[in-house]
Amino acid sequence: MNFDTFRAGFPALSDQTYLSIADKMILNDTVRGAIDVYLDRLALASVGRLGHEATVEEARGKFAQLVNADPKNIAVTRNVSDGVNCIAWSFEDVQGKNMVLSADVEHPNNIYPWLRQQKRGLELRLVPAMPDGQLDTKAMIAAMDDNTIIMTCPSVSFAPGYRSDLDRLGAACRKRDVFFLVDGVQTAGVLQHDFAQEPIDGFATSASKGLLGSYGIGFLYISDQWLDRLTPAYLSRPAVYQDSEDHSTMGSFAYQLQPNARRYEVGSYNLAGAYAVAASLELLLDLGPAATQARVLGLASDLRGGLQDTMFGPRVTTSNDPDRLSHIITIGTLDAGGHDTSTCADIMGLSATLKDHKITHAIRRGQIRMAVHAFNNSDDIAKTLHAVAQYRP
């Protein structure tokens, strides 16, 4: 499949320029059709539980292929929060231990679970971000000591959209035997990941952004180095190893956990979500992760450069290190406002102009935020730059 064919499958693009994949997905016709298949099977009672769960396994396998991992290291979860909490509660003894994170670059859903762990005795070492909003890699590494058990960061911050140096952080964690957990929701399906090469121990994501699936389903990757060293906080029948696939069968009270990441799965799956993400992952695999990354970073660079040439006042986020730039482009002063609001009149005015031109975007932490995916093209960039040029303070 080429990118033009891929783009043609998104009806939302017929009347808007969608630059808000960092907020939520839009549905491809193929993905919507897969949900319809599930609903038909449910309505007609034509497929049993094992038949539906075959689609869950299909989704698991396709996500593993997308990130170059073994399916046994992938748990099917509900979302990023679910995955992060799975890890947070899997460390049984945290008294006197510490973990490292930078609250300045994190979404709240990768902060609250760790605040909760403070009540169990875990020390939170909060590392300030650099003045421009980038994660301070050197300071994160320096904050670790012999009592550090976890470090966490986003693969890309939800605002201002900088990429973290996962290789450097992960390598430092490996040297100290520290679990390195990544909130990957902003990059999964958009930028390329290779877990056979990246020194990541845990990676939590959902299908509701770059994976182009639907809400209520996600994935958690756990590396071989840690899979058997952690203890899931919750336990239900699917997480227990038995020869029988019958979930109502009770085995021995001397149970054994599944020998893979399925030990983290609780109860029934979100089957509609599984049908959706299995279909969207097939589309993304057809495009290819490397080709998708090259496309989105190229478009983002064109948009960022065009904005820098066009903008009259508010600053366009950039970096002296091109490896830190991502598919997310932000305009304005970080934290000069909040969710959908800014204290800067020009940001609010420019946002209104973009809306008038049907350029779908968001305001996060006071900044205008735009983000591209593989369905975007050069016409989208041109339309956006034209709209920005129409704004008059």
Side-chain angles (χ1 to χ4, degrees):
M1 179 189 300
N2 61 39
F3 288 107
D4 289 339
T5 302
F6 178 66
R7 176 184 173 90
F10 291 90
L13 302 179
S14 64
D15 67 346
Q16 64 183 300
T17 300
Y18 193 82
L19 295 177
S20 202
I21 195 62
D23 182 26
K24 62 179 179 296
M25 77 293 167
I26 52 177
L27 287 184
N28 187 284
D29 288 337
T30 300
V31 177
R32 182 168 183 168
I35 298 173
D36 288 340
V37 168
Y38 165 69
L39 293 174
D40 287 342
R41 290 176 175 178
L42 196 65
L44 299 173
S46 59
V47 174
R49 181 183 62 81
L50 291 179
H52 289 306
E53 290 186 0
T55 303
V56 176
E57 295 310 308
E58 179 186 351
R60 187 198 313 274
K62 288 178 177 178
F63 178 74
Q65 185 180 350
L66 186 76
V67 297
N68 194 23
D70 191 314
K72 73 179 179 62
N73 296 103
I74 306 297
V76 178
T77 59
R78 292 176 295 175
N79 44 46
V80 175
S81 301
D82 193 17
V84 170
N85 276 280
C86 281
I87 298 302
W89 288 97
S90 290
F91 285 83
E92 293 186 293
D93 181 13
V94 299
Q95 186 69 40
K97 305 297 183 181
N98 68 71
M99 62 95 61
V100 177
L101 78 160
S102 180
D104 293 341
V105 306
E106 294 289 354
H107 188 280
N109 285 343
N110 198 21
I111 299 176
Y112 281 115
W114 307 111
L115 294 176
R116 177 66 178 85
Q117 298 308 308
Q118 286 182 307
K119 296 187 177 182
R120 300 174 63 209
L122 183 67
E123 176 194 352
L124 270 61
R125 295 191 170 179
L126 302 178
V127 177
M130 298 173 73
D132 63 356
Q134 290 191 63
L135 184 71
D136 191 334
T137 302
K138 184 177 180 180
M140 291 281 285
I141 293 172
M144 292 191 292
D145 63 19
D146 291 343
N147 290 318
T148 306
I149 57 174
I150 305 165
M151 177 188 284
T152 187
C153 75
S155 52
V156 165
S157 61
F158 76 97
Y162 287 119
R163 300 174 71 176
S164 300
D165 191 342
L166 301 183
D167 288 336
R168 187 176 170 194
L169 290 168
C173 287
R174 290 279 166 92
K175 288 181 180 179
R176 287 190 172 272
D177 194 31
V178 170
F179 189 96
F180 184 38
L181 174 64
V182 175
D183 173 353
V185 74
Q186 293 295 355
T187 56
V190 184
L191 302 183
Q192 186 174 19
H193 285 283
D194 183 348
F195 292 166
Q197 301 297 324
E198 292 175 288
I200 293 172
D201 297 307
F203 184 96
T205 191
S206 76
S208 61
K209 297 185 190 291
L211 291 181
L212 301 174
S214 63
Y215 291 104
I217 192 166
F219 300 99
L220 172 65
Y221 163 82
I222 304 176
S223 68
D224 283 331
Q225 291 91 330
W226 284 91
L227 187 58
D228 290 325
R229 297 172 61 185
L230 304 177
T231 304
Y234 297 103
L235 189 61
S236 68
R237 170 62 185 84
V240 175
Y241 175 76
Q242 289 188 33
D243 291 333
S244 171
E245 290 292 334
D246 182 358
H247 284 194
S248 63
T249 298
M250 182 68 201
S252 168
F253 280 17
Y255 64 86
Q256 291 183 340
L257 294 175
Q258 292 278 10
N260 49 46
R262 287 184 63 189
R263 63 183 62 180
Y264 285 91
E265 297 173 2
V266 179
S268 300
Y269 297 103
N270 173 2
L271 296 176
Y275 275 75
V277 75
S280 65
L281 283 165
E282 182 65 27
L283 295 172
L284 292 171
L285 287 169
D286 198 6
L287 291 174
T292 295
Q293 172 169 298
R295 181 178 179 86
V296 299
L297 291 182
L299 290 171
S301 179
D302 291 344
L303 178 55
R304 190 177 292 109
L307 289 170
Q308 289 171 324
D309 292 339
T310 304
M311 294 302 296
F312 52 88
R315 184 177 66 88
V316 180
T317 299
T318 187
S319 173
N320 293 327
D321 183 354
D323 288 339
R324 302 284 72 82
L325 297 176
S326 74
H327 62 295
I328 296 176
I329 303 94
T330 48
I331 306 169
T333 302
L334 188 65
D335 290 328
H339 189 98
D340 292 334
T341 64
S342 174
T343 59
C344 175
D346 281 332
I347 290 297
M348 297 305 294
L350 179 56
S351 177
T353 297
L354 290 171
K355 290 177 182 177
D356 288 343
H357 286 78
K358 296 187 176 181
I359 311 294
T360 305
H361 64 287
I363 298 178
R364 295 294 183 268
R365 298 180 68 182
Q367 295 180 307
I368 287 177
R369 184 184 71 183
M370 295 178 278
V372 298
H373 203 340
F375 49 68
N376 291 116
N377 62 16
S378 58
D379 287 344
D380 292 338
I381 306 306
K383 289 177 182 178
T384 303
L385 295 176
H386 173 75
V388 169
Q390 306 311 301
Y391 172 66
R392 297 291 182 270

